[in-house]
Amino acid sequence: MSDIARLRAFITDTAKIVETETSEAVILAQLAPKLEALIANDDWLPEAYAATFGARYRQYLLYADPLDRFSVVSFVWAPNEGTPIHDHGVWGLIGVLRGEEVSIGYERRADGSLQARAPERLGAGEIAVLSPESGDIHAIANGLADAASISIHVYGANIGRVRRSVFDPDTGTAHDFISGYSNDTVPNLWPDSAAS
Ligand code: FE2
């Protein structure tokens, strides 16, 4: 199996899991090895969804479940690019396809300000879990200063449509945001459907 078939298989597996499981812990446990398998090969992400754009990170929708139960997104980071501190409100898995990323989780102090945890460095082929139940406030950055990095994320909602929060790093004050996506079209998962 190669090329886009890998992504199609991952989406099919994810759809089967969310169809039969409702426990976040079970979904994450079953999805983690599927995402590890997907990112073990770097031959399937179409170039249009791996492209950087100046010095701004991109978030490309690869697939959204029609019932909003999950979405799959490629994040493309220019060198040294990173997100603000944000939450998700739904479960998520992050898998690094190319390069290296640094994720910093945050905990709330009693006064509402944010306490950073130790940075977590992820290399290609490694995954990280996001769970609102255990705290899902974090910031992610490209771990490389001289190359782009790409990670594949799967979330328990159509994440680009979710109203969630970004946080002031000094005060912890939350502000609403909806991330949206960088693309208007999604990959064709069925290349054998091309007219001959
Ligand atoms: Fe995130």
Side-chain angles (χ1 to χ4, degrees):
M1 186 165 58
S2 64
D3 298 328
I4 205 72
R6 296 190 196 280
L7 176 61
R8 189 170 70 238
F10 176 74
I11 290 166
T12 302
D13 288 340
T14 306
K16 288 177 179 173
I17 290 169
V18 301
E19 181 69 23
T20 56
E21 305 292 345
T22 54
S23 158
E24 178 184 299
V26 173
I27 290 171
L28 289 170
Q30 293 190 4
L31 260 181
K34 306 293 186 186
L35 182 60
E36 285 177 328
L38 177 67
I39 61 171
N41 296 282
D42 185 12
D43 63 357
W44 57 268
L45 183 65
E47 196 51 42
Y49 308 97
T52 56
F53 183 80
R56 179 99 176 93
Y57 71 89
R58 309 289 273 174
Q59 43 197 342
Y60 298 107
L61 175 67
L62 301 179
Y63 182 80
D65 173 63
L67 301 181
D68 280 358
R69 296 171 299 181
F70 71 96
S71 54
V72 184
V73 180
S74 64
F75 272 73
V76 183
W77 315 90
N80 290 320
E81 182 57 62
T83 67
I85 302 169
H86 63 277
D87 68 2
H88 311 80
V90 294
W91 58 259
L93 284 167
I94 298 167
V96 177
L97 182 69
R98 225 171 274 177
E100 186 176 298
E101 293 180 2
V102 178
S103 175
I104 300 176
Y106 291 84
E107 293 174 25
R108 284 269 193 200
R109 297 190 186 97
D111 65 0
S113 63
L114 297 171
Q115 171 75 50
R117 297 178 185 144
E120 185 179 10
R121 194 167 279 274
L122 293 177
E126 295 185 306
I127 68 171
V129 174
L130 293 169
S131 168
E133 291 178 10
S134 57
D136 70 332
I137 301 175
H138 77 164
I140 299 188
N142 188 345
L144 303 178
D146 57 357
S149 292
I150 298 176
S151 56
I152 306 302
H153 300 203
V154 54
Y155 299 99
N158 187 334
I159 194 69
R161 299 179 63 201
V162 174
R163 183 173 297 279
R164 46 201 176 112
S165 299
V166 293
F167 299 90
D168 183 298
D170 297 322
T171 65
T173 303
H175 301 279
D176 278 7
F177 89 116
I178 296 174
S179 65
Y181 298 112
S182 305
N183 51 321
D184 294 324
T185 60
V186 291
N188 181 353
L189 300 175
W190 301 271
D192 57 354
S193 64
S196 58

